Amino acid sequence: KHLSFLPASLYTDTQRERPDGGNILTHPDYIDGNPDLIKPKKLLNPVKASKSHQELHRELLMNHKRGLGMESKPELQRVLEHRRRNQLIRQKKEEEEAKKLQSPFEKELLKRHQRLDQLEKEQEKQEDHAPEFIKVKENLRRTSMVTGDEKAA
């Protein structure tokens, strides 16, 4: 009979009997009700105060109430993606039409231009493999010819 009124553990006993009443935080001075003190106001979060954030939050709440999942996109995003897709398709069609409308003369010019570019690349590769003293000698010849022409003039 004597042990029945004791708590189950000492820990629960210490939790009940705190000397400060269980409050760990100290109380601020302005709660006293002193009219001379200016009471601080809570600062606004600039992100939450922005219109775009509020509109987005409102849209998310509405979608949640309607039962729309997060997988479904907003109407504006769907429209913009549809426009981008249509624009890319239009550009590809225009490029294909432009290729079809090229005259045989333009095609030949393009082929020759590509061949010339290819030849220039091959020459650059060959020049890169040439020894250094040959490159320096060619540069000296060019400078000596330029200075000789300038003296004659």
Side-chain angles (χ1 to χ4, degrees), residues 127-140:
E127 289 176 3
D128 290 342
H129 295 299
E132 186 69 27
F133 69 92
I134 294 176
K135 293 178 187 176
V136 172
K137 190 174 182 182
E138 288 176 2
N139 287 339
L140 287 174

Side-chain angles (χ1 to χ4, degrees), residues 82-92:
H82 184 70
R83 283 185 185 174
R84 278 189 222 121
R85 198 176 315 116
N86 287 343
Q87 189 177 15
L88 286 174
I89 292 171
R90 249 187 274 121
Q91 284 179 351
K92 287 180 183 178

Side-chain angles (χ1 to χ4, degrees), residues 9-87:
S9 70
L10 291 174
Y11 181 72
T12 55
D13 191 34
T14 55
Q15 276 185 330
R16 286 186 205 141
E17 300 175 13
R18 285 195 179 167
D20 60 349
N23 192 358
I24 298 172
L25 299 174
T26 59
H27 295 285
D29 296 336
Y30 57 84
I31 294 183
D32 298 343
N34 189 350
D36 296 337
L37 293 177
I38 300 172
K39 295 181 183 178
K41 294 182 181 178
K42 188 173 183 179
L43 295 176
L44 292 177
N45 186 348
V47 174
K48 290 186 177 182
S50 70
K51 280 278 192 200
S52 60
H53 181 272
Q54 290 173 357
E55 291 170 359
L56 179 65
H57 185 65
R58 191 176 307 120
E59 183 179 349
L60 287 172
L61 286 175
M62 292 291 286
N63 287 342
H64 183 69
K65 286 179 184 176
R66 288 184 197 155
L68 298 175
M70 297 303 286
E71 295 85 24
S72 63
K73 297 178 182 176
E75 184 180 353
L76 177 63
Q77 191 174 3
R78 282 189 304 232
V79 169
L80 290 175
E81 286 178 358
H82 184 70
R83 283 185 185 174
R84 278 189 222 121
R85 198 176 315 116
N86 287 343
Q87 189 177 15

Side-chain angles (χ1 to χ4, degrees), residues 119-135:
L119 288 173
E120 287 177 5
K121 288 178 183 177
E122 289 175 4
Q123 287 178 354
E124 288 177 2
K125 287 180 183 178
Q126 289 174 358
E127 289 176 3
D128 290 342
H129 295 299
E132 186 69 27
F133 69 92
I134 294 176
K135 293 178 187 176

